[in-house]
Amino acid sequence: MENSKSRRNFIKKGLAASVAIPFLGSSLLACDAKEKSKKLKILILGGTSFLGPHQIAYALKRGHSVSIFTRGKTQPTVHKELFDKVEHLVGDRNNNLKALENGKWDVVIDNSGRRVQWTKDTAELLKDKVNYYLYTSSTGVYYPYLGNHITEDTKTLTEEPAVIENEDEKLEYWYGVMKTNSENAAIKAFGKDRTIIARPTYMFGPGDKTNRFIHWPVRLAKEGKVLVPGKKEDLVQYADVRDVAEFMIRLAETKTTGKFNIAGPKSAQTMLDFVTEAHTAFDVKNELIQINDYNFLQNNGVPYLVSWIPPIGKNYGSSRAANTKAIAAGLTFRDLKTSVKDMYNWWYSDAITQEQRNQFEKNPKGVLVNEQEIIKKWEEQNK
């Protein structure tokens, strides 16, 4: 399935001291507050694509300085005005890291680590120049998703199996292995006490070039019957890219190391509940038609519709990543209505050309074009 291409997240000691030794305790708290308010020098490997611009916007808003290391080719579609306020270091992770040789930073955020060797090389180069390494990984490290409750301690992929059934699975395994081994490369160079691993699930929001989620803002803004795939108990998970970006910056600020599943919503949500809530972003009347037959959906061109992935086979637990640890560390969530409306406004802004919109909205094989025919066929079959 094509979704495989897309795959792929306290101050108690000071408080106690302030009770036992008031004068010393207040001093400790003052030091801690000063440390938290320290302005960071942040290096982002990547930074111009989807997640990076939102990290930059939040970091600058909080008074930090930002350097980005890119090839100088990709142009952002959000927060363009902020890129004059960051330091641009140009190079290539494949063969040219020279621009990173002389700087020093408080934290490096590795957004572009798409090869294990890239992470090895940058982590080794920067381990004496940077205090913390924050690697942007994925819940894809848990593939195949077989559990009901996938925590940060769940076993991750380190090698591909000898036999893989099809090309789609091969991509899933490759991605999971690449992300796991990149995490391990960062940890090996920096140590566990200086490494932060962020494992987001499917991200969406302004700037998303994958088009894997835009179906919902586009469709729910229009009236009529809306196809809702899946059974009534099917769970979904997703993450607003801005929630991910802001959480990662806060982890860097508080020096909170470890591994974190970054998945929303805060509590379990079914696909029907997801669409019901998302549709409130628009003042239109919709009739939600739930199609609960996986074979019917597959045979009619709806093998998945992110955030819905059919919870079968090796994808059973793909929407069952535990987010308790991340929430305890400060992960927060925008309401879905806001996220959907913001993505809709971005999609119909100057950031996207009409040609790009047409390619998606008028795709003859897409669900938007074929939805009503699929619903009619379903209703006739179930008279």
Side-chain angles (χ1 to χ4, degrees):
M1 299 188 332
E2 287 188 5
N3 67 301
S4 60
K5 299 178 183 178
S6 314
R7 287 209 190 267
R8 35 69 239 23
N9 186 249
F10 291 15
I11 325 173
K12 289 183 180 178
K13 194 175 290 184
L15 289 173
S18 68
V19 173
I21 312 173
F23 182 79
L24 177 59
S26 62
S27 176
L28 288 173
L29 285 173
C31 290
D32 187 77
K34 183 177 180 180
E35 186 67 23
K36 282 193 174 184
S37 65
K38 176 187 174 185
K39 305 312 178 187
L40 302 177
K41 289 186 65 179
I42 299 173
L43 168 64
I44 300 178
L45 306 179
T48 53
S49 190
F50 182 27
L51 177 61
H54 297 291
Q55 292 169 330
I56 290 169
Y58 192 66
L60 293 179
K61 179 181 178 181
R62 291 167 80 84
H64 306 306
S65 63
V66 178
S67 304
I68 61 172
F69 177 78
T70 72
R71 294 178 300 165
K73 296 180 179 181
T74 302
Q75 296 299 314
T77 64
V78 292
H79 300 302
K80 292 182 180 180
E81 72 285 357
L82 297 181
F83 281 78
D84 288 337
K85 300 179 181 180
V86 305
E87 179 185 27
H88 292 256
L89 303 173
V90 179
D92 193 318
R93 297 192 69 175
N94 199 46
N95 55 20
N96 181 11
L97 301 178
K98 189 173 181 58
L100 301 177
E101 291 178 357
N102 296 320
K104 286 186 177 292
W105 297 270
D106 295 297
V107 60
V108 54
I109 302 177
D110 186 350
N111 286 343
S112 60
R114 295 187 297 276
R115 295 182 186 176
V116 178
Q117 192 62 48
W118 290 2
T119 303
K120 285 182 179 178
D121 291 344
T122 53
E124 285 296 326
L125 174 64
L126 296 171
K127 65 183 180 182
D128 296 323
K129 303 173 182 293
V130 179
N131 295 328
Y132 294 88
Y133 201 104
L134 201 171
Y135 181 74
T136 305
S137 187
S138 165
T139 54
V141 297
Y142 303 117
Y143 188 81
Y145 313 102
L146 302 179
N148 270 316
H149 187 66
I150 298 175
T151 73
E152 289 82 357
D153 294 325
T154 298
K155 185 178 179 180
T156 58
L157 278 170
T158 55
E159 60 182 7
E160 297 180 29
V163 178
I164 300 178
E165 295 178 6
N166 55 58
E167 285 299 313
D168 293 330
E169 279 196 5
K170 186 173 179 62
L171 285 170
E172 292 275 18
Y173 277 114
W174 169 82
Y175 187 73
V177 169
M178 180 272 293
K179 284 297 185 182
T180 294
N181 289 332
S182 294
E183 291 181 2
N184 292 339
I187 293 170
K188 182 178 179 180
F190 273 70
K192 289 184 178 180
D193 60 340
R194 296 173 57 209
T195 308
I196 306 167
I197 304 296
R199 294 172 176 167
T201 186
Y202 285 108
M203 291 189 291
F204 72 97
D208 186 359
K209 299 176 183 178
T210 68
N211 291 346
R212 61 189 175 192
F213 193 92
I214 193 61
H215 169 88
W216 296 109
V218 172
R219 177 63 194 93
L220 294 174
K222 301 175 183 177
E223 294 187 348
K225 294 181 177 181
V226 176
L227 188 161
V228 181
K231 299 180 180 180
K232 63 180 181 180
E233 67 273 16
D234 286 359
L235 297 176
V236 295
Q237 285 188 319
Y238 47 86
D240 188 308
V241 65
R242 296 165 296 183
D243 293 334
V244 177
E246 293 166 12
F247 177 56
M248 291 174 71
I249 296 299
R250 292 195 296 271
L251 287 176
E253 290 174 343
T254 56
K255 303 178 177 62
T256 305
T257 57
K259 300 171 183 177
F260 300 92
N261 292 338
I262 309 179
K266 186 173 184 179
S267 303
Q269 183 180 61
T270 67
M271 182 58 183
L272 182 58
D273 288 341
F274 162 80
V275 179
T276 300
E277 183 179 347
H279 128 272
T280 64
F282 307 101
D283 187 20
V284 298
K285 293 182 179 180
N286 297 126
E287 181 183 357
L288 305 183
I289 307 297
Q290 187 155 26
I291 298 180
N292 59 12
D293 186 322
Y294 298 151
N295 288 329
F296 177 90
L297 290 164
Q298 174 79 38
N299 294 335
N300 285 276
V302 194
Y304 64 92
L305 199 55
V306 174
S307 58
W308 177 75
I309 304 294
I312 54 178
K314 294 177 181 177
N315 281 316
Y316 169 76
S318 63
S319 293
R320 289 174 164 82
N323 57 14
T324 307
K325 183 179 178 183
I327 291 173
L331 175 63
T332 57
F333 307 93
R334 285 166 170 76
D335 65 271
L336 182 59
K337 177 180 178 180
T338 297
S339 295
V340 170
K341 193 61 180 289
D342 288 350
M343 193 167 186
Y344 176 88
N345 290 337
W346 168 78
W347 181 253
Y348 289 106
S349 73
D350 292 340
I352 301 297
T353 67
Q354 189 58 48
E355 180 182 6
Q356 289 173 309
R357 285 190 283 268
N358 289 342
Q359 285 177 349
F360 177 78
E361 296 181 23
K362 297 182 179 181
N363 178 3
K365 296 183 179 180
V367 176
L368 283 174
V369 170
N370 296 293
E371 179 186 43
Q372 298 309 308
E373 182 180 341
I374 296 170
I375 290 174
K376 182 179 179 181
K377 186 177 179 179
W378 173 252
E379 291 177 333
E380 290 176 349
Q381 176 179 303
N382 289 276
K383 281 182 179 178

